[in-house]
Amino acid sequence: MNKSLFSALVSACCITFSPLAISASTPLAIAIHGGAGTIEKSRFTPEQEKAYRSKLKEAVETGYKVLEQGGESLDAVTAAINVLENSPYFNAGRGAVYTYDGGHELDASIMDGRDRQAGAVAGVKHIENPINLARLVMEESVHVMLSGQGAEEFAKEQGIPLVENNLFDTDNRYKALLKAKEKLDKAKATSKDYQAAHQALPVNYKMGTVGAVALDKNGNLAAGTSTGGMTAKRFGRIGDAPVIGAGTFAENASCAVSATGHGEYFIRYNVAADICARVKYQSKTITQAGDEVINSVLKPIGGTGGVIIVDSKGNISLPFNTSGMYRASKSNTQATYVAIFKDE
């Protein structure tokens, strides 16, 4: 064969099968949330709004960079959530709310869409980044969920240092605790029923979470969620964030979901798994499935909150039934999107 012709053929092959050409047609996507609730523009100064948007942008782009460089969806989810856990703006990690007794108890979970492996931690008090420990539970233990002291003993075995609980102290969260306890005390003055008193609290005291869902170049989905729980929670309360199927779910055959909202409702209605089941068994789009569960199932019975969803084709949906949800997304076909309020 003519040498120049051989060189031309080699060059053509290289162009056709280069990683760049493959990646251009391979969907990559990530979405994140920083909690939903009564989030109204009038409550923000321009500086505060800018700071929240900046942190959401940083988180989603940190996760997307992992995907863009060929990393796995699990790595992208973990990286994005770490950014949010390390910020005092969101109810997870450093921004965790206070329990009734004035401490912090954190929950997190993560799930791999390839094989439905999952890991979760609940009620940990001395873990700086709970999502990292949840991932270690998935990858290095024979269990799915570890709680409290046992989870922290496992953390030490895995080389994760324990931190002082006051690392998570913030002034605004402490003020929220004082207001919540004042409202609880007033409610208890007319009723000795703890349940009734707690239900009297405004919804924003009952929700707040961060999460991420992602699709990588290999078509693998992953989801993760991390939270400080509910303001003034008692008795070791655990919400939906560490519960696989309720606050977190991922399966390559359907979708990946991370939830934020009033956790008791999300547990009772198995929200994350229900959305993916509607996609898998009823052939619904993630937009249809998400809207049905958030607005037709939860909303009528008082279940407030939202979810972020990514499917195996890289489609993204961010439904919620509150006045706002901190959210952001990015894909290889969509520029970085950051939003807070309902009308964005």
Side-chain angles (χ1 to χ4, degrees):
M1 181 183 288
N2 181 280
K3 187 175 180 180
S4 60
L5 177 59
F6 177 77
S7 298
L9 286 172
V10 171
S11 297
C13 288
C14 290
I15 292 171
T16 303
F17 298 107
S18 70
L20 182 61
I22 293 172
S23 66
S25 61
T26 302
L28 301 175
I30 185 168
I32 66 164
H33 69 74
T38 309
I39 303 169
E40 298 169 347
K41 194 174 182 67
S42 60
R43 300 188 179 189
F44 288 77
T45 66
E47 293 75 20
Q48 288 173 327
E49 183 180 336
K50 182 179 179 180
Y52 274 93
R53 290 183 185 275
S54 176
K55 190 56 65 173
L56 291 168
K57 183 174 186 288
E58 178 189 347
V60 78
E61 292 189 344
T62 295
Y64 187 78
K65 186 175 181 180
V66 172
L67 300 174
E68 197 172 38
Q69 293 177 344
E72 293 191 347
S73 53
L74 284 169
D75 296 325
V77 163
T78 305
I81 291 177
N82 281 167
V83 172
L84 299 172
E85 286 178 330
N86 293 337
S87 168
Y89 298 143
F90 307 100
N91 179 17
R94 301 227 173 193
V97 297
Y98 284 78
T99 65
Y100 188 89
D101 295 324
H104 309 275
E105 297 173 359
L106 292 72
D107 312 323
S109 65
I110 194 165
M111 189 167 186
D112 188 340
R114 284 175 291 198
D115 50 14
R116 290 172 62 150
Q117 290 293 310
V121 293
V124 295
K125 300 178 180 179
H126 304 97
I127 304 297
E128 187 170 3
N129 294 105
I131 194 67
N132 297 353
L133 182 56
R135 183 166 177 180
L136 282 172
V137 171
M138 177 180 72
E139 296 176 338
E140 302 296 336
S141 83
V142 296
H143 306 298
V144 171
M145 183 186 291
L146 300 181
S147 67
Q149 184 179 346
E152 295 184 350
E153 288 175 3
F154 175 75
K156 287 190 287 185
E157 284 189 5
Q158 295 299 315
I160 292 184
L162 302 188
V163 299
E164 294 297 326
N165 194 249
N166 62 13
L167 175 75
F168 310 112
D169 289 356
T170 52
D171 289 341
N172 63 321
R173 300 296 190 197
Y174 186 66
K175 290 175 182 176
L177 171 66
L178 297 180
K179 289 180 181 178
K181 292 181 76 168
E182 181 182 356
K183 291 178 184 295
L184 284 170
D185 290 341
K186 287 181 179 178
K188 282 190 291 186
T190 58
S191 171
K192 299 301 181 183
D193 185 342
Y194 169 76
Q195 185 177 22
H198 201 275
Q199 287 175 342
L201 282 176
V203 69
N204 267 17
Y205 290 108
K206 304 173 185 176
M207 54 208 300
T209 319
V210 307
V213 292
L215 172 71
D216 65 29
K217 67 174 185 178
N218 297 314
N220 293 321
L221 291 163
T225 312
S226 181
T227 186
M230 179 185 288
T231 301
K233 63 183 179 179
R234 301 182 71 183
F235 314 121
R237 178 264 185 185
I238 303 296
D240 65 307
V243 179
I244 299 302
T248 303
F249 194 80
E251 181 186 43
N252 284 1
S254 54
C255 58
V257 178
S258 174
T260 174
H262 191 165
E264 280 67 17
Y265 289 91
F266 283 70
I267 293 172
R268 287 162 52 203
Y269 286 83
N270 202 35
V271 166
D274 186 13
I275 290 170
C276 291
R278 290 168 190 252
V279 172
K280 185 176 182 179
Y281 299 118
Q282 298 179 347
S283 300
K284 291 182 175 174
T285 67
I286 57 173
T287 300
Q288 292 170 324
D291 178 67
E292 285 178 0
V293 174
I294 296 302
N295 292 306
S296 298
V297 175
L298 287 180
K299 191 173 182 179
I301 49 92
T304 51
V307 293
I308 53 174
I309 320 168
V310 170
D311 69 13
S312 58
K313 296 178 182 178
N315 297 309
I316 299 169
S317 184
L318 314 169
F320 56 98
N321 60 25
T322 55
S323 61
M325 181 170 78
Y326 298 107
R327 61 201 186 275
S329 61
K330 185 177 179 68
S331 75
N332 60 333
T333 60
Q334 176 211 296
T336 302
Y337 165 76
V338 177
I340 298 176
F341 312 113
K342 188 79 172 179
D343 58 354
E344 295 185 78

